[in-house]
Amino acid sequence: MTESSLLEPHDLPARWRHKRVFTLVDTRFTTSFFLAAWQSWRDDDARCERLHVVAIAPLDALDEAPSNHASPLADELARAWPMRVPGMHRLEFDAGRVVLTLAVGDDAHALISSLWLRADAFRVDMTDADRTDDPRRLCKALARLAGDGALVRIRAREPMHAPLRRALEASGFEVTANAAAPDALSARFAPRWRVRRHEPPLACDTRTREAIVIGAGLAGCAVSSRLAARGWRVTLIDRHALPARDASGNPAGVFHPIVWRDDSVAARLTRAGFLDALHRWRALEAAGHDLHRSDAGLLQIADTPEDADALAAAIARFDYPHGYVQPMTRAEASAMAGIAVARGGWFFPHGGAISPAAVCAAQLAAGAGRIATRMNTEVARIAHDGHVWQTFDAHGNEIASAPVMVLANAHDAARLAGLYGQPTRIVRGQLSVLGASALDALRVPVIGEGYAVPMGARGTLIGATYDIDDSSSEIRDAGHVENMERLEGMLPGLSLTPGEVRQGRVAFRCVTSDRMPMIGQLADESAARRDAHRLSGAWPLDLPRMPGLFGAFAFGSRGLIWATLAAELIASKIEGEPWPIERDLAESIDPARFLLRALRHADFGPA
Ligand SMILES: Cc1cc2nc3c(=O)[nH]c(=O)nc-3n(C[C@H](O)[C@H](O)[C@H](O)COP(=O)(O)OP(=O)(O)OC[C@H]3O[C@@H](n4cnc5c(N)ncnc54)[C@H](O)[C@@H]3O)c2cc1C
């Protein structure tokens, strides 16, 4: 099939011309279709600003990068090909203006249901389907995602046409006659009555692409950079003189996904965050930024021998590739670490340690020209005047205003937004930096009950204490001793002394009660409160939201793997683009989840 014949049924390139975003959904990833769309987009002078292709693919499709398409674009696709793990993978090309999101797994129906986007075109291949397949489920799923006038092209064998036609019509599509293609049906989304409970996502209604981001740590710098990459002008406000001074100012931090006995929400979400962070950091490094990222992997020591065995079995059961995670016996782990370890564990070849401040600096440099920083500036209050969000200092003077605002200021975000029920707490953490010590033999960052990060000439970073609701910034000897004891539990031959501590640092994590971050659009709590009875059985999409007000905070002990994913999710929501993660995952970090629970349990206290 030629390139143009692949795109013709979708009336492309005509339909994407002069649009900000155009979204094509392919229900079974086909390399030739993606490459045809990408090439045609490149060749079109009047192309849309961003082309999204969202495609469903079975896990086996990731076994090998597509190799039978000799072209420079195919080579680029092969170089970006993701690791063979389930979930959603976002690949970006042409400076991020062509985006391929692969939704990978073995249940195609579940994957389509987990997407959240507004589609302009669907390509569906049902040639393998037989009469027992029920097309109604598929057509309903398409209708949930279809934008106005979205075109659908379904390849199917003739006996499927009649049930498909009925299913399409029942879901709000108008089937168009297509004598030229007897093996396919074409349809247009044109519902004559309301066919869905929630409208698919739209861009924030703003005349200008201007945003305020409060907080210049990992969260705020990542959000600023993702918005700047989409052409937004960002005012980034922080009370310190320089970015990355609070929690994001630690000398190094470790990063790795959670791997557990089941593929829980935490396992899936940390996998998505880990892979997204790697992708963004590699792009910054390729542009010449030094992030001080270690490159020898990261070792996790199990808490018990039983955990080590169970995890080894789970890694085999999930068939995780070696590049993602490898089980380690105690002997293997000791050889890997360069120091005897207490138990076996598992190894992340692409995990490691990185400088959070270097990440922040690189993101701001990459967005230079679009990000204006306002340092030494504390926001005392925010308000919405019906059109824009305003920020005020303690004297009531306006600092800046914009139609979109992102609260990326950790524990202070809940105060500024006036969130119900104080959903976040602080957890004090003390780190210790050791000078010359037995830990100099350590070859890779090691984590478990505590962690140790070799930093070359700067010594070894060990940590960290976990002191809930303790707001003291004083560095304590007891904290250093605690850090050493944690480490000695993992690396039993060690004998460290307080005299080896060269330096200490205290910072504060911001956590929620379910230990998941707060990422997304904030709810309009006053409106929800007024409507509490009707909303007692509400879904996240039913809640009234604050126009243009988003949050990226409560990253707990995992800021490094949450920050870039949070930024991409928020930027996608603001621009009305396909979400980069599954809907259930986005709901598990929705900042409105505590409000939703309160509404469900009629536990909505006094104002
Ligand atoms: C001891 C310790 C060890 C850690 N180790 C790791 C690790 O190994 N790996 C990992 O991934 N994570 C680790 N973390 C967690 C990680 O540091 C955080 O999750 C991350 O830095 C949070 O980033 P943030 O941008 O949300 O918050 P912060 O870095 O705290 O930034 C918030 C910013 O908001 C600003 N701000 C707040 N209120 C206002 C206001 N009203 N007006 C203006 N500015 C305001 C602050 O000045 C600050 O710069 C650790 C944390 C601690 C404390």
Side-chain angles (χ1 to χ4, degrees), residues 215 218-219 238-240 246-248 254 379 412 451 556-560:
L218 278 169
D238 199 289
R239 60 183 164 213
H240 291 300
D246 282 351
S248 308
V254 292
V379 178
D412 200 38
Y451 62 78
S557 303
R558 299 184 193 280
L560 284 164

Side-chain angles (χ1 to χ4, degrees), residues 62-263:
L62 298 191
D63 281 350
E64 276 176 41
S67 57
N68 53 347
H69 299 263
S71 76
L73 295 192
D75 292 345
E76 259 194 72
L77 176 63
R79 279 196 295 277
W81 203 240
M83 222 182 263
R84 189 193 179 281
V85 288
M88 282 171 67
H89 299 267
R90 182 156 278 193
L91 320 182
E92 294 184 345
F93 307 96
D94 282 337
R97 292 185 59 196
V98 174
V99 185
L100 170 63
T101 306
L102 288 170
V104 177
D106 289 329
D107 183 344
H109 272 299
L111 286 168
I112 296 176
S113 308
S114 74
L115 301 177
W116 198 225
L117 53 83
R118 177 174 286 260
D120 296 292
F122 296 96
R123 178 182 179 278
V124 183
D125 191 338
M126 288 189 72
T127 43
D128 288 345
D130 61 34
R131 281 163 192 269
T132 57
D133 280 13
D134 179 1
R136 282 175 298 186
R137 197 166 153 209
L138 169 77
C139 294
K140 271 191 189 159
L142 302 186
R144 219 173 38 79
L145 304 175
D148 299 340
L151 294 186
V152 185
R153 170 72 156 192
I154 307 185
R155 286 192 64 219
R157 283 181 285 118
E158 210 285 322
M160 288 298 287
H161 286 202
L164 257 176
R165 180 184 286 268
R166 282 195 298 277
L168 281 165
E169 286 171 352
S171 303
F173 292 90
E174 244 173 31
V175 179
T176 51
N178 199 336
D183 63 338
L185 281 180
S186 294
R188 188 172 154 274
F189 188 61
R192 270 173 278 153
W193 59 90
R194 198 178 140 93
V195 290
R196 52 196 178 192
R197 178 168 176 168
H198 301 114
E199 286 301 302
L202 272 174
C204 281
D205 185 14
T206 63
R207 254 169 291 149
T208 57
R209 284 160 125 175
E210 288 174 347
I212 293 172
V213 176
I214 304 177
L218 278 169
C221 293
V223 168
S224 301
S225 90
R226 293 317 299 146
L227 285 174
R230 285 166 165 86
W232 283 65
R233 302 194 76 80
V234 178
T235 304
L236 174 62
I237 304 175
D238 199 289
R239 60 183 164 213
H240 291 300
L242 290 169
R245 289 283 118 163
D246 282 351
S248 308
N250 291 338
V254 292
F255 59 90
H256 58 94
I258 293 179
V259 174
W260 200 230
R261 299 171 197 221
D262 54 7
D263 206 21

Side-chain angles (χ1 to χ4, degrees), residues 370-449:
R370 297 207 165 272
I371 304 172
T373 50
R374 296 280 300 272
M375 306 309 290
N376 296 309
T377 306
E378 174 136 10
V379 178
R381 182 172 72 81
I382 62 169
H384 194 248
D385 74 354
H387 302 282
V388 292
W389 285 99
Q390 301 162 296
T391 48
F392 298 94
D393 67 16
H395 307 291
N397 300 317
E398 185 174 307
I399 302 166
S401 65
V404 166
M405 184 185 288
V406 184
L407 301 178
N409 53 329
H411 187 57
D412 200 38
R415 178 192 69 82
L416 278 185
L419 294 189
Y420 166 77
Q422 301 177 337
T424 63
R425 297 168 82 174
I426 55 163
V427 180
R428 177 184 179 278
Q430 181 173 325
L431 294 165
S432 319
V433 178
L434 305 188
S437 75
L439 278 172
D440 290 352
L442 191 64
R443 295 205 190 107
V444 292
V446 179
I447 62 167
E449 293 145 67

